[in-house]
Amino acid sequence: MKRTYLSYLLFFVMALVGLGSCIEDGYTTSSSDQPVFSVDTLQMGVIFTEAPSTTHRFTVYNRASKALNISKINLSGENASLFRLNVDGFTGREFHDVEIRANDSIFVFVETTLPANERSVPVEVAASLDFLTNGVTSSVTVAAQGRDVRRLYAETITSDTSFPADKAYQIFDSLVVAPGATLTIDPGAELFFHDGAMMVVRGSLKARGETGKEITFSGDRTGNVAADISFDIMSRQWVGLFFTSTPRDNELSYAHVCNTWQGVTVDGTDATEPVELTMVNSRLRNSGDRSLDVYHANINAYGCEIAEAANGAVSLTGGKHVFNQCTLANYYLFTALGGPILSFGHVDADSDDGSGKPYTSADISNTIIYGLGTDISHGDLTGMDIYLRRCILKSAGSDDDNFINCLWDTDPLFHTVREDYYFDYRVQEESPAIGAADPSLLRPEAATDRYGLPRGSAPDLGAYVYSPQD
């Protein structure tokens, strides 16, 4: 009896082992069982030509109850040779008999190096990645846009120079404008800075964009850092733009400076003559420190958006400043905020920095100051040469000799949705900023906004004229 029981037990165990072996080793041969892809087209985005791309990937799923044998994986089309593959950990140009177990998946990684195309705009390049399975071929398109750039390595501008907009610029290490030289950047030009690169202006910078032809200073990473998070909203991709103690005027018109460690810094501490930066309809955003940091220099800002910085959007220490029709906002995403949206230093004897320079003077009008954290470093400006006229403020305060006709504790209702990684500082239809600006304070330099919309006789508060969103 005992022997019979053991025999049955042995038979049952062997049957289970055999069944497991069949499940493990059996492949589906049905033509209806095909791999399923996480994308139809793998968009690799804009890639600078003649340099390796970052690695992009997609997933190949087997939804069948048996293992799937992919007989052949290969690239096809006239651009096939431009792409490189890694399939399930193995590199190559063609793969055979790739197994995906039942209800399992594998990764496919794709890279490319695109040739120069001698064009001023990105050129689309695509190939078909084909999977032959059970006699049926299914495909994923891999696509990239190749963009030619001028590469600059530790470049110093020693004489008056213009940067045309026919090609983008990729800057490694540094771009320096030497004393006595002027760099003029044409409308629509784009400057992309590699990790650790910076721009230093010891002479003069004239970045003169136009409506629809904004000049861009940004990091050189393109596409998404993860899922739907674009590199466009990531700070700390390059060091920043620095204006040193030079007596020459500087201009940022219709310019976009983003993705920096230290934003735009203007330092006139050691200057013997006033250092001045004029900004018109420009955007400074996404800084790991401050988006605008000023020391004993003069800032004239008209229609500008200055936003998203770890330690506050704007810091003014000394100097004489005009901010008209601006939006100063902070919804910085990646760390706790280290300072107010707008901060002042060297404003009186108690905050004297020992520079011997005049105390900070500022006239801020028709401007929105709103976002996370504190809006202004000083709630009491009594005795200081700092005035805020007809501004929207987050604080629940009241008017006095320095705060004049302001809208206190008022949400401007930006379109920004921080949780969705969406940062748009135009205002919604119900915004109290609409038609609320003082037309007598509107400066001629701010007559139209960055989009070319006129402010008219009943201007809105902030950098942007209200217009319905799509």
Side-chain angles (χ1 to χ4, degrees):
M1 188 70 159
K2 186 175 181 180
R3 184 182 303 168
T4 303
Y5 172 78
L6 289 175
S7 298
Y8 279 120
L9 180 60
L10 182 59
F11 175 80
F12 181 72
V13 171
M14 292 177 67
L16 285 178
V17 172
L19 179 60
S21 177
C22 290
I23 293 174
E24 181 70 22
D25 297 335
Y27 291 93
T28 175
T29 58
S30 172
S31 61
S32 62
D33 287 331
Q34 293 294 315
V36 177
F37 309 111
S38 59
V39 295
D40 295 323
T41 299
L42 182 67
Q43 292 284 2
M44 302 178 69
V46 177
I47 295 169
F48 296 140
T49 58
E50 300 182 308
S53 71
T54 56
T55 301
H56 296 251
R57 77 176 190 186
F58 65 95
T59 307
V60 184
Y61 299 95
N62 174 18
R63 305 297 194 196
S65 58
K66 288 186 177 183
L68 197 66
N69 182 62
I70 304 177
S71 304
K72 182 180 179 181
I73 301 174
N74 69 291
L75 286 158
S76 63
E78 63 177 329
N79 296 314
S81 62
L82 298 178
F83 295 91
R84 301 182 294 276
L85 300 178
N86 181 299
V87 176
D88 201 27
F90 295 93
T91 59
R93 307 205 67 85
E94 188 172 300
F95 304 83
H96 296 273
D97 297 324
V98 176
E99 176 186 338
I100 309 179
R101 294 183 179 182
N103 298 306
D104 204 349
S105 62
I106 61 171
F107 289 121
V108 174
F109 299 89
V110 184
E111 297 176 341
T112 186
T113 301
L114 300 179
N117 52 57
E118 304 302 326
R119 299 280 297 278
S120 60
V121 295
V123 174
E124 179 86 12
V125 176
S128 179
L129 182 50
D130 302 325
F131 297 75
L132 175 61
T133 310
N134 296 332
V136 177
T137 298
S138 52
S139 301
V140 170
T141 299
V142 293
Q145 294 176 293
R147 182 167 196 184
D148 284 0
V149 292
R150 293 184 176 93
R151 291 183 172 87
L152 305 179
Y153 298 87
E155 182 81 6
T156 298
I157 305 297
T158 57
S159 60
D160 291 354
T161 302
S162 293
F163 277 9
D166 57 336
K167 283 187 180 180
Y169 300 81
Q170 187 179 24
I171 292 92
F172 295 84
D173 185 70
S174 61
L175 172 62
V176 177
V177 182
T182 296
L183 173 61
T184 301
I185 302 179
D186 290 353
E190 294 176 284
L191 282 67
F192 296 102
F193 293 81
H194 196 62
D195 182 30
M198 67 177 71
M199 182 171 181
V200 180
V201 180
R202 296 193 175 101
S204 183
L205 175 66
K206 303 291 185 182
R208 293 170 171 163
E210 301 171 354
T211 300
K213 293 183 178 181
E214 191 173 59
I215 295 171
T216 300
F217 302 78
S218 74
D220 64 359
R221 301 293 298 273
T222 60
N224 291 345
V225 61
D228 295 327
I229 304 175
S230 169
F231 274 108
D232 179 62
I233 68 169
M234 302 293 293
S235 65
R236 304 179 180 181
Q237 295 186 46
W238 60 292
V239 180
L241 174 54
F242 298 86
F243 295 88
T244 63
S245 295
T246 167
R248 305 185 69 179
D249 295 340
N250 299 285
E251 181 180 345
L252 291 173
S253 292
Y254 295 85
H256 182 198
V257 184
C258 61
N259 315 130
T260 61
W261 272 96
Q262 295 178 251
V264 174
T265 302
V266 189
D267 190 350
T269 304
D270 298 327
T272 56
E273 298 179 44
V275 175
E276 187 163 283
L277 170 63
T278 297
M279 301 188 296
V280 179
N281 290 340
S282 291
R283 294 184 292 162
L284 316 181
R285 49 188 285 269
N286 296 341
S287 172
D289 189 1
R290 298 186 180 103
S291 288
L292 178 63
D293 204 0
V294 183
Y295 301 90
H296 306 292
N298 302 335
I299 302 296
N300 299 304
Y302 309 102
C304 294
E305 171 194 314
I306 308 176
E308 299 151 36
N311 291 322
V314 177
S315 177
L316 304 174
T317 300
K320 187 174 182 179
H321 313 288
V322 173
F323 286 76
N324 182 238
Q325 297 291 161
C326 291
T327 294
L328 314 182
N330 205 0
Y331 289 86
Y332 187 74
L333 193 61
F334 304 106
T335 189
L337 299 181
I341 297 170
L342 172 61
S343 61
F344 300 104
H346 191 65
V347 293
D348 54 20
D350 292 336
S351 60
D352 194 303
D353 64 3
S355 64
K357 299 281 188 175
Y359 292 141
T360 304
S361 172
D363 184 354
I364 301 170
S365 58
N366 286 352
T367 289
I368 297 173
I369 307 171
Y370 199 89
L372 301 178
T374 305
D375 51 359
I376 299 179
S377 60
H378 292 66
D380 184 0
L381 299 174
T382 302
M384 303 176 191
D385 191 18
I386 299 173
Y387 300 92
L388 286 86
R389 312 173 195 272
R390 195 55 177 171
C391 294
I392 282 184
L393 301 168
K394 182 182 179 181
S395 300
S398 59
D399 287 351
D400 56 24
D401 290 342
N402 297 88
F403 294 92
I404 302 164
N405 198 22
C406 290
L407 280 65
W408 296 89
D409 190 19
T410 300
D411 188 341
L413 300 179
F414 297 130
H415 280 282
T416 293
V417 183
R418 184 172 181 264
E419 295 76 13
D420 294 340
Y421 314 114
Y422 181 71
F423 300 90
D424 185 339
Y425 293 103
R426 290 173 289 182
V427 298
Q428 302 177 40
E429 184 179 6
E430 303 82 7
S431 172
I434 298 173
D438 183 342
S440 69
L441 300 175
L442 177 61
R443 302 284 185 117
E445 297 89 342
T448 60
D449 74 1
R450 184 169 67 88
Y451 295 95
L453 299 175
R455 299 193 190 273
S457 58
D460 304 334
L461 289 167
Y464 301 109
V465 176
Y466 167 73
S467 61
Q469 301 295 296
D470 294 333

